[in-house]
Amino acid sequence: MTVTLRAATAEDLMAVGALHQRSRVAAYSSFLPPEALADPTPEAMGEYWAERWIWERDSHRMILAMRGDTLAGFSYSGPDDEDDPDTGLLCAIHLAPAERGRGVGRELMVDALAGMRTRGWRRAALWVLRENGPARRFYERGGWSPTGVERVELIGTTQAPQLRYTRGV
């Protein structure tokens, strides 16, 4: 069964949150401690997305990858977090763990870049966890390059260094 892409609606956000939590645990458990990934719960992550959606739905774009009636993954993109008017930010690509390596992430990335071009952005940026080797390789295969800029975010109470990547759209 092929994957189809569609715009998210408010009714999708609890499922997005549950998938986001499963994706984080699957992708980060090899380098983050279990207590860092225990919270938020899938329900709390859904509530996070519902709240974020209220404030960002006019400036951001969430696209769902559907395999039949099942959510396979999502992307979230919007304006650059460093206020560069020529750059869009790929805020997230998350996949159901069973979808890793099946081309869904690539479809979501290609679609997000096309959406950025439509909005007039010439460059795209993203942040990826420094220790997330598979994600870094995925983005590098997709034409992204690290800029050398780093930041540290908390995941739970664990400091998680992130690297900024960019590419043309």
Side-chain angles (χ1 to χ4, degrees):
M1 181 181 303
T2 61
V3 169
T4 58
L5 303 182
R6 70 168 175 82
T9 66
E11 291 75 29
D12 296 314
L13 299 176
M14 292 307 288
V16 165
L19 180 139
H20 188 177
Q21 177 60 10
R22 288 192 317 275
S23 173
R24 285 167 34 111
V25 170
Y28 307 161
S29 62
S30 66
F31 58 89
L32 289 176
E35 59 273 9
L37 299 171
D39 195 44
T41 65
E43 296 79 17
M45 190 68 85
E47 291 168 8
Y48 160 82
W49 279 109
E51 179 69 19
R52 189 170 178 179
W53 181 262
I54 290 169
W55 301 107
E56 295 181 343
R57 68 177 170 239
D58 293 334
S59 61
H60 287 66
R61 180 174 180 260
M62 181 180 280
I63 298 297
L64 306 184
M66 303 297 297
R67 192 174 297 282
D69 292 332
T70 303
L71 180 59
F74 73 94
S75 67
Y76 194 65
S77 58
D80 183 42
D81 62 346
E82 294 187 353
D83 297 322
D84 180 345
D86 291 326
T87 300
L89 184 69
L90 180 56
C91 305
I93 291 179
H94 282 279
L95 304 177
E99 295 292 343
R100 289 176 70 186
R102 298 183 70 190
V104 176
R106 176 147 179 74
E107 284 188 51
L108 287 166
M109 179 176 56
V110 168
D111 177 78
L113 292 168
M116 289 181 194
R117 274 192 304 279
T118 298
R119 291 190 63 178
W121 291 319
R122 297 190 319 230
R123 299 214 44 79
L126 62 81
W127 292 96
V128 64
L129 293 174
R130 184 177 65 203
E131 301 304 319
N132 192 348
R136 291 179 61 190
R137 287 187 294 279
F138 166 77
Y139 289 119
E140 289 166 6
R141 283 191 310 270
W144 298 80
S145 299
T147 65
V149 176
E150 293 191 34
R151 71 179 184 189
V152 176
E153 294 283 317
L154 287 178
I155 297 181
T157 59
T158 301
Q159 291 191 359
Q162 297 179 333
L163 304 175
R164 187 170 170 94
Y165 277 64
T166 61
R167 62 158 283 163
V169 296

